[in-house]
Amino acid sequence: HFNGGKDGGVENHLEMGKKLLAAGQLADALSHFHAAVDGDTKNYMAYYRRATVYLAMGKSKSALPDLSKVIELKPDFTSARLQRGNLLLKHGKLDEAESDFKKVVVTHFFEAQSQLKKSDEIQRLVGQAQSDFNRRDYGSAVSHLDIIIDTCVWDADSREMRAECFIQLGEMGKAISDLKAASKLKSDNTQAFYKLSTIYYNLGDHEMSLNEVRECLKLDPDHKQCFSHYKQVKKLNKQIQAAEELIQQQMYSDAVSKYESVMKTEPNVPQFILNAKERMCHCLSKDQQTAKAISVCSEVLKADPQNVNALKDRAEAYLQDDQYEEAIKDFESAQEHSENDRQIKEGLERAQRLLKQSQKRDYYKILGVKRTAQKKEILKAYRKLAQQWHPDNFQDAEEKKKAEKKFIDIAQAKEVLTDPEMRSKFDQGEDPMDPESQQGGGHHHHHFHGGWDNFQGFNPFGSGPFNFKFNFN
């Protein structure tokens, strides 16, 4: 190819690229400008156009070398110099930016002057922020750094300093977002990943902590701090996952021991201790270890009075212990902090029914058996009491009357507690023998209303009602 053809090709690419750029088709424009640069490495317009596309794509790092090439090829190209000065300023490279602004000739004189002034002001603020930081006046340092970062948006150092201030001020969320930015702005920024990992760790978020420390080790597998932190987080993570799997399998007492190991692995981070105790409170409540559950849940609530999970679990433990008023209080507190939780609503209604029921008849108490009693124990207790309170054993009219009432209670208790469906209703706070507490209309188990006269055809030693007459003395 003779030279003119080559130039023609380059001009053609520049023209096409320009049209595509105007149409907003950046990727296509870029490939034309790449071709133009390859076709003529001395064509400063090709570099300048390509830098323009990079800037439109938000790739300032790629634009910088192209702008420098333009200035090298054509030192009096002022708009390229001004653009480079602005980029350098954003990256916090203040001295280099100032030298560009000073060289800009008259055409852009006023803009260059104002940028130069801005750059001077930033230099002053950087010194001010550094001295605030050294004096541990972190609040003032932050207010200066805010202004610096507003202009030097891509300057990693300012963000790292501001993150350190936020850590000292206890504003971890803000520190995290500055460190995330710094980890992207500066390549191989292992320190930012290490700091992120330790912040998440101290907040009790083991999963995020593990993610960030892995990023550090991807950049430098031999990083001492990251490696020793990684081992600790990984161990803790493994224990917590194992404990959660045990909970899934309803192996609650094993899960409790596993969470005790978690507290031994990390005794110094309060959030991990609290999280572990919250899960132990849940396991003990599910496992019906009532006294322990109430005690551990109460420890959690002392540290975190609005902890909805601990309130729900302690309420369930109170119910197992027949402390209905306490359970109601916990469910009500939980409801204040979590309004649309169906579990809380159902728990509260159940507790209120059980409280009401406790003020009426308790079939377990009538037979003197535990709530967890098996059918065999229930029948045994029933036979003993039925024999003891049989009205035929009493001669005195008053006593006979009292025995009749007692005997009917005993028979009804046996009827409810040996029928799985009725027993389950009773455990939910309904009395299947009381027409008023029936949900959804009548029920066929109303054999015993009407007192002793209607009751005499019942044999407590048979399998069901109305079998034989009593014929023992």
Side-chain angles (χ1 to χ4, degrees), residues 6 29 38 69 75 79 99 108 127 131 143 162 183 192 196 214 227 230 273 293 338 341 351 397 401 430 447:
K6 183 178 170 191
D38 293 342
K69 191 75 182 162
S79 60
S99 112
H108 288 288
S131 91
S143 60
R162 189 170 67 174
S183 74
L196 278 167
R214 279 188 175 135
F227 188 66
Y230 170 74
I273 302 285
S338 175
D341 187 323
K401 210 170 177 177
E430 275 182 59
H447 306 302

Side-chain angles (χ1 to χ4, degrees), residues 303-322:
D304 178 9
Q306 299 182 1
N307 189 314
V308 172
N309 292 329
L311 285 166
K312 288 201 283 195
D313 289 323
R314 186 172 71 175
E316 291 294 351
Y318 278 139
L319 285 183
Q320 294 156 19
D321 202 37
D322 298 346

